[in-house]
Amino acid sequence: ADFDGEAENRKYLTSFLHDIFGAGGRIETTLRGLIDKHGAESFLSDFLEPTAKAYRDILNKSFDGGRLGPEINACLRYLSWLPRKSWIAPALKVMVVHRSEPAKILEFLQALDRYAYGLAILGDANKNDDKRYAEIIAAIDVSKDAPAKVLKLEDRELRSIGKRLQFTIGSDNVRLAKLVLMRAHIHTTLFREKKSRRPGVILAGEEMLGSQNNVEHLLPESPALDSNWSKLFSGEVNVHWKMVGNLFILPEELNSKL
């Protein structure tokens, strides 16, 4: 599996092979077990090569899914922005097991996108995401549909996500605030495109997530008592200031001029 000399990616590939086809234990034991059970030729053609190709597609957001390819690669792009990469192993397995069924891959990745972002927003409130992803991997089987149904958050988690989005996301995790704002920007732009039938401008997420851009508050935390802010939000400044709807992304060079 050639990754243009990228030893780190080759190391990750063997780790992902272990995650999606192993049963615990050591990576070397999983690889040897696959070779002993299926033979070296089958290991290469049925396990290593498809997984390597799927991993390249994930890294490059370049899955060839025909007319569904752009939607699949958009999901991969959004997922790639997340700080934790636990989502890669289940995405890999679905892309290997269902590699000739792009509709199943898209359905799974769309559900995985919502699920992974939900867990990211929960943050420290969620302690079992590795275990949950392992259960998702185990549920993926070649004889079944891609198990988008297992990618469900509990009602209490959905309520917690709503509260975190409304009140705390900007103050305790700037990167996550940027992610949420970027996704809101993308979906708003796509909705307007659909309504107006005119192309909109979608900002580059990779650039907007950079340290040169700040998350700022439209409504100031402590507006002057004689300001219009205080007149408009009398007695409610603290409540509105914390809400995600009060946040926006501003390049640092512009922020210093305001």
Side-chain angles (χ1 to χ4, degrees):
D2 182 14
F3 283 95
D4 301 323
E6 297 180 20
E8 193 73 6
N9 281 330
R10 290 197 298 273
K11 182 183 76 173
Y12 285 140
L13 176 62
T14 57
S15 176
F16 288 131
L17 273 167
H18 173 62
D19 289 340
I20 64 181
F21 296 115
R26 295 168 56 86
I27 294 175
E28 295 82 358
T29 303
T30 294
L31 300 181
R32 175 51 58 189
L34 289 172
I35 294 171
D36 291 344
K37 182 177 181 179
H38 301 280
E41 186 174 337
S42 178
F43 170 73
L44 289 173
S45 62
D46 297 333
F47 294 92
L48 182 60
E49 290 178 358
T51 305
K53 183 183 184 308
Y55 189 41
R56 287 193 200 95
D57 289 342
I58 286 175
L59 291 176
N60 299 321
K61 298 89 179 169
S62 59
F63 181 78
D64 183 9
R67 64 181 181 83
L68 297 180
E71 291 182 78
I72 290 172
N73 292 317
C75 286
L76 295 175
R77 181 187 179 210
Y78 303 151
L79 285 163
S80 73
W81 295 342
L82 290 169
R84 294 199 64 185
K85 305 303 178 185
S86 303
W87 62 269
I88 293 179
L92 264 178
K93 190 166 186 181
V94 162
M95 292 170 70
V96 171
V97 170
H98 296 286
R99 56 185 174 273
S100 60
E101 302 171 288
K104 288 184 179 180
I105 292 174
L106 177 59
E107 179 189 11
F108 181 85
L109 290 180
Q110 287 175 334
L112 181 63
D113 178 26
R114 292 189 292 270
Y115 186 82
Y117 269 82
L119 293 184
I121 293 168
L122 285 172
D124 291 339
N126 173 62
K127 303 290 186 182
N128 300 310
D129 54 339
D130 288 337
K131 179 182 177 182
R132 294 170 73 159
Y133 279 117
E135 291 172 351
I136 292 166
I137 292 168
I140 300 168
D141 188 279
V142 70
S143 63
K144 301 176 183 177
D145 289 340
K149 292 181 180 179
V150 303
L151 294 163
K152 297 290 186 182
L153 295 164
E154 298 175 7
D155 287 344
R156 63 175 179 80
E157 291 175 321
L158 293 173
R159 289 193 294 270
S160 179
I161 288 170
K163 290 178 181 178
R164 286 179 63 79
L165 281 176
Q166 190 172 12
F167 293 114
T168 63
I169 192 170
S171 58
D172 64 0
N173 193 325
V174 173
R175 180 179 174 84
L176 196 54
K178 287 182 179 181
L179 286 172
V180 171
L181 293 171
M182 275 304 305
R183 296 302 299 271
H185 159 69
I186 290 169
H187 286 287
T188 300
T189 303
L190 293 176
F191 176 77
R192 287 174 177 168
E193 279 185 359
K194 189 174 181 180
K195 292 278 287 185
S196 66
R197 298 184 180 179
R198 292 184 296 177
V201 178
I202 294 180
L203 305 175
E206 290 78 3
E207 294 180 8
M208 295 303 291
L209 294 173
S211 59
Q212 73 276 14
N213 295 301
N214 300 332
V215 173
E216 300 295 340
H217 297 81
L218 184 62
L219 169 64
E221 181 179 10
S222 301
L225 294 177
D226 59 349
S227 69
N228 287 330
W229 290 121
S230 294
K231 295 175 183 177
L232 289 170
F233 297 96
S234 176
E236 299 178 346
V237 169
N238 288 335
V239 174
H240 290 286
W241 181 79
K242 293 180 179 179
M243 291 183 176
V244 70
N246 187 46
L247 303 178
F248 66 101
I249 299 175
L250 186 68
E252 190 171 306
E253 60 183 37
L254 290 180
N255 187 36
S256 63
K257 297 176 182 178
L258 296 178

